[in-house]
Amino acid sequence: MGIFTRIKDIAAADVHRLLDQVEDPVSMAKHYIRQLEDQIDQARGALQTQIAAEQRYDLLLASTAEVVRKRERQAQLAVERNEDDIAAMAIQEKLHHAKLEQTYTEQRETVRKQAESLRGEIQRLQDVHKELTDKLTFLLVRANAVNTMRDTARTAPVSDISKLSRGLERMEQKLMHAEAGTLAYQAADKLTDWSRQQEVQEELARLKSAKQSS
């Protein structure tokens, strides 16, 4: 059958190796997947034809076998009645249909084997289709990652990031310097408050001493 030749033209073992060598493996993978899907559809159509042929042969075999049984019985009855001419005609027709039954059986077996081969080819194509689909998904993920990194690099080049980092460091140093100045001011203010309290206590002690002396 021509379908087998067409099927064998695709899904070769080196398809995956070829994908690793071409410049645009994503497009090539999509191309192979489309071809595989077409081949699978054709193979399924051929399989449906074979299954229909099997069913027709089943009907032919059943009807032919029934004719053989009827003519066998007719021949037996004719012999019992001494109707040799009728018996001979029944036997002749029985033999004819017996040969047809054998032919139909052989043809049906051929169709069955072809259908079985088609089922195997369809399964093989489906397995390769899954492998290529998985590989395509992996390639798309990688391509998306590369594009994202490229866009990120264009949006914020390394030189700009370095400048921004140095600017943030300078701002941090200024903030630290301002914080240090605030802490020093607060400490000086507390020291002034303490000095004033000391003067108050000394003046109070002097007044109490003068009162006691008077």
Short mmCIF file of all heavy atoms in Angstrom, two decimals, residues 117-147:
data_model
loop_
_atom_site.label_atom_id
_atom_site.label_comp_id
_atom_site.label_asym_id
_atom_site.label_seq_id
_atom_site.Cartn_x
_atom_site.Cartn_y
_atom_site.Cartn_z
N SER A 117 -0.85 -3.80 10.76
CA SER A 117 0.34 -3.02 10.44
C SER A 117 0.06 -1.53 10.55
O SER A 117 0.88 -0.76 11.06
CB SER A 117 0.83 -3.36 9.03
OG SER A 117 1.24 -4.70 8.94
N LEU A 118 -1.12 -1.11 10.07
CA LEU A 118 -1.50 0.29 10.17
C LEU A 118 -1.62 0.73 11.61
O LEU A 118 -1.19 1.84 11.97
CB LEU A 118 -2.83 0.53 9.44
CG LEU A 118 -2.74 0.73 7.92
CD1 LEU A 118 -4.13 0.74 7.32
CD2 LEU A 118 -2.01 2.03 7.60
N ARG A 119 -2.17 -0.11 12.46
CA ARG A 119 -2.26 0.23 13.89
C ARG A 119 -0.87 0.44 14.49
O ARG A 119 -0.64 1.36 15.27
CB ARG A 119 -3.00 -0.87 14.65
CG ARG A 119 -4.49 -0.94 14.34
CD ARG A 119 -5.20 -1.93 15.28
NE ARG A 119 -6.62 -2.04 14.99
CZ ARG A 119 -7.16 -2.94 14.17
NH1 ARG A 119 -6.37 -3.84 13.57
NH2 ARG A 119 -8.46 -2.96 13.97
N GLY A 120 0.07 -0.44 14.10
CA GLY A 120 1.44 -0.28 14.59
C GLY A 120 2.08 1.00 14.10
O GLY A 120 2.78 1.69 14.85
N GLU A 121 1.86 1.35 12.82
CA GLU A 121 2.43 2.58 12.26
C GLU A 121 1.82 3.81 12.93
O GLU A 121 2.53 4.78 13.21
CB GLU A 121 2.18 2.62 10.75
CG GLU A 121 2.95 1.59 9.95
CD GLU A 121 4.45 1.80 10.03
OE1 GLU A 121 4.87 2.94 10.27
OE2 GLU A 121 5.20 0.82 9.85
N ILE A 122 0.52 3.76 13.17
CA ILE A 122 -0.13 4.89 13.83
C ILE A 122 0.43 5.09 15.22
O ILE A 122 0.71 6.21 15.65
CB ILE A 122 -1.66 4.68 13.88
CG1 ILE A 122 -2.25 4.79 12.47
CG2 ILE A 122 -2.33 5.68 14.81
CD1 ILE A 122 -3.71 4.40 12.39
N GLN A 123 0.64 4.00 15.96
CA GLN A 123 1.19 4.11 17.30
C GLN A 123 2.61 4.68 17.25
O GLN A 123 2.98 5.53 18.08
CB GLN A 123 1.20 2.73 17.97
CG GLN A 123 1.71 2.73 19.41
CD GLN A 123 0.85 3.61 20.29
OE1 GLN A 123 -0.36 3.45 20.35
NE2 GLN A 123 1.47 4.55 21.00
N ARG A 124 3.39 4.22 16.26
CA ARG A 124 4.76 4.72 16.13
C ARG A 124 4.76 6.22 15.82
O ARG A 124 5.54 6.99 16.39
CB ARG A 124 5.50 3.96 15.03
CG ARG A 124 6.97 4.33 14.88
CD ARG A 124 7.65 3.39 13.89
NE ARG A 124 7.14 3.58 12.56
CZ ARG A 124 7.62 4.49 11.69
NH1 ARG A 124 8.61 5.29 12.06
NH2 ARG A 124 7.14 4.59 10.49
N LEU A 125 3.89 6.63 14.91
CA LEU A 125 3.79 8.05 14.56
C LEU A 125 3.35 8.88 15.76
O LEU A 125 3.84 9.99 15.98
CB LEU A 125 2.81 8.23 13.41
CG LEU A 125 3.27 7.75 12.03
CD1 LEU A 125 2.13 7.84 11.03
CD2 LEU A 125 4.46 8.56 11.54
N GLN A 126 2.41 8.35 16.54
CA GLN A 126 1.94 9.08 17.72
C GLN A 126 3.06 9.22 18.75
O GLN A 126 3.18 10.27 19.40
CB GLN A 126 0.74 8.35 18.33
CG GLN A 126 -0.53 8.47 17.50
CD GLN A 126 -1.68 7.65 18.06
OE1 GLN A 126 -1.48 6.65 18.74
NE2 GLN A 126 -2.89 8.07 17.77
N ASP A 127 3.89 8.18 18.88
CA ASP A 127 5.01 8.26 19.82
C ASP A 127 6.01 9.34 19.38
O ASP A 127 6.49 10.13 20.21
CB ASP A 127 5.72 6.90 19.91
CG ASP A 127 4.86 5.85 20.60
OD1 ASP A 127 3.90 6.23 21.30
OD2 ASP A 127 5.14 4.65 20.42
N VAL A 128 6.33 9.36 18.08
CA VAL A 128 7.26 10.37 17.58
C VAL A 128 6.63 11.76 17.70
O VAL A 128 7.32 12.73 18.03
CB VAL A 128 7.63 10.07 16.11
CG1 VAL A 128 8.53 11.17 15.55
CG2 VAL A 128 8.35 8.73 16.02
N HIS A 129 5.33 11.85 17.43
CA HIS A 129 4.63 13.13 17.56
C HIS A 129 4.75 13.66 18.97
O HIS A 129 5.01 14.85 19.19
CB HIS A 129 3.16 12.95 17.17
CG HIS A 129 2.36 14.21 17.22
ND1 HIS A 129 1.79 14.68 18.38
CD2 HIS A 129 2.03 15.12 16.25
CE1 HIS A 129 1.14 15.81 18.13
NE2 HIS A 129 1.27 16.10 16.85
N LYS A 130 4.59 12.79 19.96
CA LYS A 130 4.71 13.21 21.37
C LYS A 130 6.14 13.67 21.68
O LYS A 130 6.35 14.68 22.35
CB LYS A 130 4.32 12.07 22.30
CG LYS A 130 4.36 12.46 23.78
CD LYS A 130 3.96 11.30 24.66
CE LYS A 130 3.93 11.74 26.14
NZ LYS A 130 5.18 12.34 26.60
N GLU A 131 7.13 12.92 21.18
CA GLU A 131 8.52 13.29 21.42
C GLU A 131 8.83 14.67 20.82
O GLU A 131 9.47 15.51 21.46
CB GLU A 131 9.46 12.24 20.84
CG GLU A 131 9.41 10.90 21.58
CD GLU A 131 10.35 9.88 20.95
OE1 GLU A 131 11.22 10.29 20.16
OE2 GLU A 131 10.20 8.69 21.24
N LEU A 132 8.38 14.88 19.58
CA LEU A 132 8.63 16.17 18.93
C LEU A 132 7.88 17.30 19.61
O LEU A 132 8.40 18.41 19.74
CB LEU A 132 8.23 16.09 17.46
CG LEU A 132 9.21 15.37 16.53
CD1 LEU A 132 8.64 15.32 15.11
CD2 LEU A 132 10.57 16.03 16.52
N THR A 133 6.65 17.02 20.05
CA THR A 133 5.88 18.05 20.75
C THR A 133 6.57 18.43 22.06
O THR A 133 6.65 19.61 22.40
CB THR A 133 4.45 17.55 21.04
OG1 THR A 133 3.81 17.18 19.80
CG2 THR A 133 3.63 18.62 21.72
N ASP A 134 7.06 17.42 22.78
CA ASP A 134 7.79 17.71 24.02
C ASP A 134 9.05 18.52 23.73
O ASP A 134 9.39 19.45 24.47
CB ASP A 134 8.16 16.40 24.73
CG ASP A 134 6.94 15.68 25.27
OD1 ASP A 134 5.87 16.32 25.38
OD2 ASP A 134 7.04 14.47 25.57
N LYS A 135 9.76 18.15 22.66
CA LYS A 135 10.99 18.87 22.31
C LYS A 135 10.66 20.30 21.91
O LYS A 135 11.38 21.24 22.27
CB LYS A 135 11.71 18.15 21.17
CG LYS A 135 13.11 18.69 20.89
CD LYS A 135 13.80 17.86 19.84
CE LYS A 135 15.25 18.31 19.68
NZ LYS A 135 16.09 18.02 20.85
N LEU A 136 9.55 20.49 21.16
CA LEU A 136 9.15 21.83 20.76
C LEU A 136 8.82 22.68 21.99
O LEU A 136 9.21 23.85 22.06
CB LEU A 136 7.94 21.76 19.84
CG LEU A 136 7.32 23.10 19.42
CD1 LEU A 136 8.35 23.96 18.69
CD2 LEU A 136 6.09 22.89 18.55
N THR A 137 8.12 22.09 22.94
CA THR A 137 7.80 22.82 24.18
C THR A 137 9.08 23.26 24.88
O THR A 137 9.20 24.41 25.35
CB THR A 137 6.97 21.93 25.12
OG1 THR A 137 5.76 21.54 24.45
CG2 THR A 137 6.63 22.67 26.41
N PHE A 138 10.06 22.35 24.95
CA PHE A 138 11.33 22.68 25.58
C PHE A 138 12.05 23.80 24.83
O PHE A 138 12.59 24.73 25.44
CB PHE A 138 12.21 21.41 25.62
CG PHE A 138 13.60 21.65 26.15
CD1 PHE A 138 13.80 22.00 27.47
CD2 PHE A 138 14.69 21.53 25.31
CE1 PHE A 138 15.08 22.21 27.96
CE2 PHE A 138 15.98 21.74 25.79
CZ PHE A 138 16.16 22.09 27.12
N LEU A 139 12.03 23.73 23.50
CA LEU A 139 12.68 24.76 22.69
C LEU A 139 11.99 26.11 22.88
O LEU A 139 12.66 27.15 22.95
CB LEU A 139 12.66 24.36 21.22
CG LEU A 139 13.56 23.18 20.82
CD1 LEU A 139 13.31 22.80 19.37
CD2 LEU A 139 15.02 23.51 21.03
N LEU A 140 10.67 26.11 22.96
CA LEU A 140 9.93 27.36 23.14
C LEU A 140 10.24 27.98 24.50
O LEU A 140 10.35 29.21 24.63
CB LEU A 140 8.43 27.11 23.01
CG LEU A 140 7.93 26.80 21.59
CD1 LEU A 140 6.46 26.43 21.60
CD2 LEU A 140 8.18 27.98 20.66
N VAL A 141 10.38 27.14 25.52
CA VAL A 141 10.73 27.64 26.86
C VAL A 141 12.11 28.28 26.82
O VAL A 141 12.32 29.38 27.37
CB VAL A 141 10.67 26.50 27.89
CG1 VAL A 141 11.28 26.96 29.22
CG2 VAL A 141 9.23 26.05 28.12
N ARG A 142 13.05 27.61 26.17
CA ARG A 142 14.41 28.17 26.06
C ARG A 142 14.40 29.48 25.28
O ARG A 142 15.07 30.45 25.65
CB ARG A 142 15.32 27.15 25.38
CG ARG A 142 15.63 25.93 26.24
CD ARG A 142 16.46 24.92 25.47
NE ARG A 142 17.71 25.50 25.01
CZ ARG A 142 18.53 24.86 24.17
NH1 ARG A 142 18.23 23.67 23.71
NH2 ARG A 142 19.67 25.43 23.81
N ALA A 143 13.65 29.49 24.16
CA ALA A 143 13.59 30.71 23.35
C ALA A 143 12.97 31.86 24.13
O ALA A 143 13.43 33.00 24.04
CB ALA A 143 12.78 30.44 22.08
N ASN A 144 11.95 31.58 24.91
CA ASN A 144 11.31 32.61 25.72
C ASN A 144 12.28 33.17 26.75
O ASN A 144 12.32 34.39 27.00
CB ASN A 144 10.07 32.05 26.40
CG ASN A 144 9.33 33.09 27.20
OD1 ASN A 144 8.82 34.06 26.66
ND2 ASN A 144 9.28 32.90 28.51
N ALA A 145 13.06 32.27 27.35
CA ALA A 145 14.05 32.72 28.34
C ALA A 145 15.10 33.61 27.70
O ALA A 145 15.48 34.65 28.26
CB ALA A 145 14.71 31.51 29.00
N VAL A 146 15.57 33.21 26.51
CA VAL A 146 16.58 34.02 25.81
C VAL A 146 16.02 35.39 25.46
O VAL A 146 16.68 36.42 25.64
CB VAL A 146 17.04 33.28 24.54
CG1 VAL A 146 17.91 34.20 23.67
CG2 VAL A 146 17.83 32.04 24.91
N ASN A 147 14.78 35.43 24.95
CA ASN A 147 14.16 36.70 24.59
C ASN A 147 13.97 37.60 25.81
O ASN A 147 14.17 38.81 25.75
CB ASN A 147 12.81 36.46 23.92
CG ASN A 147 12.97 35.84 22.55
OD1 ASN A 147 13.99 36.01 21.88
ND2 ASN A 147 11.96 35.09 22.12
#
